Amino acid sequence: MKKILLALSICIGFTLNACAQEGGQLTQPLGFEEYDPISTLKVEEHIIKRAKFPFIDVHNHQYQMPTQDLKALTKQMDSLNMGIMVNLSGRGWSQEWAEGTATLKGSLENVAKNEPKRIAVFTNLQFKGFGEADWSAKAVKQLEEDVKMGAKGLKIYKSLGFSGIKDDKGNRVAVSDARLQPVWNKCGELGIPVLIHTADVPSFWDPMDRYNERWLELKTHPGRRRGANDPVPFDSLIAEQHHIFRSNPKTIFINAHMGWYPNNLKKLDSLMIAFPNMYVEIGAVIAELGRQPRTAKKFFDKYQDRVLFGKDSWVPAEYMTYFRVLETEDEYFPYHKKYHAFWRMYGMGLSDEVLKKLYYKNALKIIPGLDKSLFPK
């Protein structure tokens, strides 16, 4: 009787968690992080390890490309049916001008010598000295030289707009800073696209409470959490980005991660209308598309000429989730990272016509100098 009363008192003490019993022992239930049930649902499955058509990954990062074994890399690409990889990190992370140039030169030379048809490289901006009188002219000149050297486009890291990029007076550099205008103009003149990543997932700015969909990600990656004004609100950062789209209609912009509106495709639809020079790529947001397959399919059908394939992090095994969401009509299958998506995926079942545009035709249209012979007509 004493044991029963003790057990009851323990159960009453659990105000937020139910009391569980296993093997005759009282135990506290699993937390949300540990709970990972195996589905008992029996439905048709299609595990796709290779894309249906050769594809171009417009959002990839290879940080050791000057010395990297590119034959080994293309072997991995072949296993996925990846025709061309775009390495966005041409100048690496250094803000030293000479060091960045050496990195880009080394990457392009390695590509030209070993895999000239399979790998494309974008350049980046060097922000050291930003605000000095000659910075804009120096950046434009460097951009021209990089393109002559072989760079196919410009990648803007998300550090622009955040506190990581400051001018010579120590102030945050806004994405829409007027001193960057000559760069956007030059990209338009050169006919190269700007792949730009601005801000982060909007939920990172929200309170970290039980209502935040990204709670688990913020718990496991606390460095991603932001205060309401860290460094400015999400909407303010996005408004800065949209300002440059609006002000540079002759420059093509590829909005990374679908502009952080993959979970609000009605809003993204309005932006596609407002900014006809804006393309989007799907890197790191396939989980959002996979939980709304019907709505996402309608969006892809409508904007089939302006959506590109991107993945972001180079983890070959994760591409299978992308292929399955895009190509099949499978139901209720897991995403590859629980902290990104604790929900299940559903396939969009895109048509061959849309898949070809997503996988390679749209990229061939806006990125100059890619080898079209690697892809079906």
Side-chain angles (χ1 to χ4, degrees):
M1 178 62 73
K2 289 183 179 180
K3 290 183 179 180
I4 293 174
L5 290 174
L6 178 60
L8 286 173
S9 67
I10 293 174
C11 288
I12 291 171
F14 289 136
T15 57
L16 296 178
N17 295 303
C19 186
Q21 185 168 346
E22 181 180 355
Q25 299 294 320
L26 290 170
T27 61
Q28 187 172 345
L30 292 172
F32 174 68
E33 301 96 311
E34 293 82 23
Y35 184 60
D36 192 18
I38 297 174
S39 174
T40 60
L41 183 67
K42 303 301 179 185
V43 289
E44 194 169 322
E45 295 183 332
H46 303 86
I47 308 300
I48 301 179
K49 296 183 178 181
R50 286 173 53 85
K52 188 174 185 178
F53 302 106
F55 68 97
I56 299 171
D57 184 346
V58 303
H59 191 150
N60 209 287
H61 296 283
Q62 300 289 325
Y63 299 107
Q64 306 298 325
M65 190 155 278
T67 58
Q68 192 171 356
D69 182 352
L70 299 185
K71 297 298 182 183
L73 179 62
T74 52
K75 186 176 180 180
Q76 290 180 297
M77 292 164 56
D78 289 340
S79 71
L80 303 170
N81 203 16
M82 183 190 297
I84 296 176
M85 173 189 287
V86 178
N87 178 19
L88 299 178
S89 306
R91 286 182 159 264
W93 288 103
S94 172
Q95 289 306 315
E96 298 293 335
W97 290 75
E99 186 176 352
T101 299
T103 299
L104 179 65
K105 185 173 184 291
S107 295
L108 292 170
E109 288 177 348
N110 193 11
V111 169
K113 180 180 178 180
N114 294 290
E115 292 292 350
K117 294 184 176 182
R118 302 295 302 281
I119 297 170
V121 181
F122 276 30
T123 188
N124 314 107
L125 292 181
Q126 310 283 170
F127 283 96
K128 185 175 182 179
F130 188 89
E132 295 175 359
D134 65 340
W135 186 92
S136 296
K138 186 177 180 181
V140 168
K141 183 175 183 293
Q142 186 68 67
L143 181 63
E144 288 183 299
E145 292 176 356
D146 290 354
V147 172
K148 287 180 181 178
M149 201 187 306
K152 306 297 186 187
L154 173 66
K155 163 66 193 300
I156 302 296
Y157 295 120
K158 71 177 181 181
S159 51
L160 177 63
F162 283 139
S163 300
I165 300 296
K166 298 183 187 302
D167 65 12
D168 57 334
K169 294 181 174 59
N171 298 316
R172 179 186 75 93
V173 178
V175 181
S176 54
D177 193 297
R179 292 167 288 188
L180 289 166
Q181 185 56 43
V183 173
W184 315 136
N185 287 341
K186 180 55 64 173
C187 289
E189 291 175 15
L190 295 172
I192 60 170
V194 179
L195 196 151
I196 182 169
H197 176 172
T198 301
D200 263 328
V201 181
S203 296
F204 291 175
W205 277 262
D206 293 336
M208 187 180 167
D209 57 24
R210 60 179 176 162
Y211 303 109
N212 192 321
E213 254 187 346
R214 295 284 183 146
W215 178 89
L216 182 57
E217 181 172 2
L218 293 174
K219 181 176 181 180
T220 55
H221 299 75
R224 297 181 183 181
R225 186 181 178 188
R226 298 193 171 275
N229 297 297
D230 179 15
V232 294
F234 170 83
D235 289 342
S236 298
L237 279 171
I238 294 301
E240 292 174 2
Q241 183 198 67
H242 293 172
H243 175 79
I244 66 169
F245 295 167
R246 186 180 299 108
S247 303
N248 296 276
K250 294 183 180 180
T251 301
I252 291 176
F253 293 90
I254 304 172
N255 205 341
H257 314 299
M258 298 187 84
W260 296 124
Y261 285 111
N263 62 333
N264 188 351
L265 294 179
K266 185 175 181 180
K267 171 68 174 180
L268 186 56
D269 180 279
S270 70
L271 297 176
M272 299 293 277
I273 294 171
F275 309 126
N277 58 327
M278 181 186 81
Y279 289 68
V280 294
E281 59 88 16
I282 64 173
V285 296
I286 197 70
E288 298 291 355
L289 303 174
R291 64 172 171 170
Q292 51 173 335
R294 291 187 292 275
T295 299
K297 186 175 187 299
K298 289 178 182 177
F299 181 90
F300 277 61
D301 286 344
K302 181 175 182 179
Y303 293 106
Q304 59 187 267
D305 295 317
R306 292 166 60 194
V307 183
L308 296 90
F309 184 95
K311 167 68 174 61
D312 199 354
S313 61
W314 176 235
V315 185
E318 294 178 355
Y319 282 79
M320 291 188 291
T321 306
Y322 285 72
F323 303 154
R324 195 172 180 186
V325 170
L326 298 171
E327 297 183 22
T328 80
E329 293 183 348
D330 284 1
E331 299 177 292
Y332 201 77
F333 54 91
Y335 182 63
H336 50 260
K337 290 180 181 177
K338 183 183 176 184
Y339 69 80
H340 271 178
F342 54 85
W343 54 82
R344 293 298 195 250
M345 305 288 100
Y346 297 82
M348 295 161 57
L350 297 177
S351 68
D352 285 358
E353 179 182 8
V354 174
L355 279 173
K356 288 177 181 178
K357 291 180 179 180
L358 170 69
Y359 276 158
Y360 62 90
K361 286 186 176 182
N362 293 338
L364 291 175
K365 179 174 62 176
I366 64 173
I367 301 176
L370 300 185
D371 190 339
K372 297 181 180 180
S373 69
L374 300 171
F375 306 92
K377 293 184 179 180

